[in-house]
Amino acid sequence: MMKAIQCISICKAYRHYEVLKEISLEIYSGECYALFGPNGAGKTTLLRILATIHRPTAGQFIVAGYDGVREKIRVREAVFLVAHGSYLYDDMNAIENIRFAIGLRGKNPPDREIKLALDRVGIGAFSELKTRYFSAGMKKRLSIAKSILIRPRVLLMDEPYASLDEKGQQMVNNYLRELTESGGTVFMTTHDRARTAEVTHRVGVLTQGSLREIPAEQLKESHDIF
């Protein structure tokens, strides 16, 4: 199997505080990897490093075969980040936001594809509404629609189930299954054990800057995984 993500002794420090300590990790094409951990453990920091938003203090990471520091642009072409922030333009409607974001990647999907993506995530009826009027859940759905149209090799997600109702959470899992079954890779940070257990292949737990893996079956058990 091809390695989609490889972290080699990744460290990240802010002044004298070491957030990540020698994180080493390999995730393969077709896998969904879920990262758990208490608040402040460094989950989002690791996600942002993989998205090339932050630079590691030490260590190396490779995404889709590209060095995350030396080949940052190539990495950004291969990944898509669904983050807490919506990264939307409030004065644009849903379709305009999609066209702008995907246009930056040199793509121009036909109207029919955009409509299908918006319908699939459940906001087709609001396609011409300015996103300043969107709820947090609607903005999350719009981010998923962008991902559907972009078809990233590696999808990075920060709390994918947050702000979504039960139907929205199921929609996300249906999409994640489809993505991994077609060879795509998912790396998510999450606190939702039940929903994550439905789709993840591997589970990591980040505590005090250090990573350990646990069997995915443990998500269905009642004891504390931290």
Side-chain angles (χ1 to χ4, degrees), residues 123 126 129 133-143 164:
I123 56 172
F126 306 98
L129 181 67
Y133 303 113
F134 275 25
S135 67
M138 292 168 70
K139 290 177 179 179
K140 177 66 69 66
R141 288 171 185 261
L142 182 53
S143 293
L164 291 174

Side-chain angles (χ1 to χ4, degrees), residues 8-115:
I8 306 165
S9 300
I10 289 286
C11 299
K12 181 64 177 179
Y14 296 101
R15 295 179 181 260
H16 301 297
Y17 178 64
E18 196 171 24
V19 181
L20 300 175
K21 304 172 184 177
E22 303 254 341
I23 301 296
S24 293
L25 173 66
E26 292 180 350
I27 307 172
Y28 294 87
S29 298
E31 282 191 326
C32 175
Y33 190 102
L35 185 64
F36 287 81
N39 294 335
K43 301 185 301 296
T44 298
T45 297
L46 180 56
L47 192 77
R48 286 175 169 268
I49 287 173
L50 295 175
T52 73
I53 296 171
H54 293 336
R55 184 168 179 158
T57 306
Q60 181 184 17
F61 69 103
I62 299 165
V63 180
Y66 302 109
D67 184 278
V69 175
R70 292 186 290 106
E71 299 175 289
K72 183 188 295 186
I73 300 302
R74 302 304 297 269
V75 170
R76 289 182 176 179
E77 291 171 351
V79 307
F80 182 73
L81 172 64
V82 177
H84 273 311
S86 61
Y87 299 104
L88 298 173
Y89 291 92
D90 285 347
D91 287 325
M92 292 183 181
N93 63 32
I95 293 175
E96 291 167 341
N97 267 284
I98 283 177
R99 287 212 172 279
F100 182 78
I102 297 180
L104 292 175
R105 292 174 176 252
K107 297 181 179 181
N108 183 26
D111 292 341
R112 180 176 176 277
E113 281 191 23
I114 294 177
K115 182 180 185 307

Side-chain angles (χ1 to χ4, degrees), residues 162-213:
S163 304
L164 291 174
D165 56 24
E166 187 172 343
K167 192 173 181 180
Q169 292 173 2
Q170 190 58 56
M171 175 272 295
V172 167
N173 275 359
N174 290 340
Y175 171 55
L176 297 186
R177 288 190 196 95
E178 177 187 298
L179 188 64
T180 54
E181 286 170 5
S182 65
T185 302
V186 178
F187 180 88
M188 68 163 80
T189 70
T190 178
H191 290 288
D192 192 324
R193 291 168 57 162
R195 282 296 184 190
T196 303
E198 297 175 5
V199 293
T200 196
H201 300 98
R202 292 167 59 203
V203 177
V205 178
L206 193 61
T207 50
Q208 297 181 331
S210 297
L211 176 69
R212 77 180 197 279
E213 286 204 27

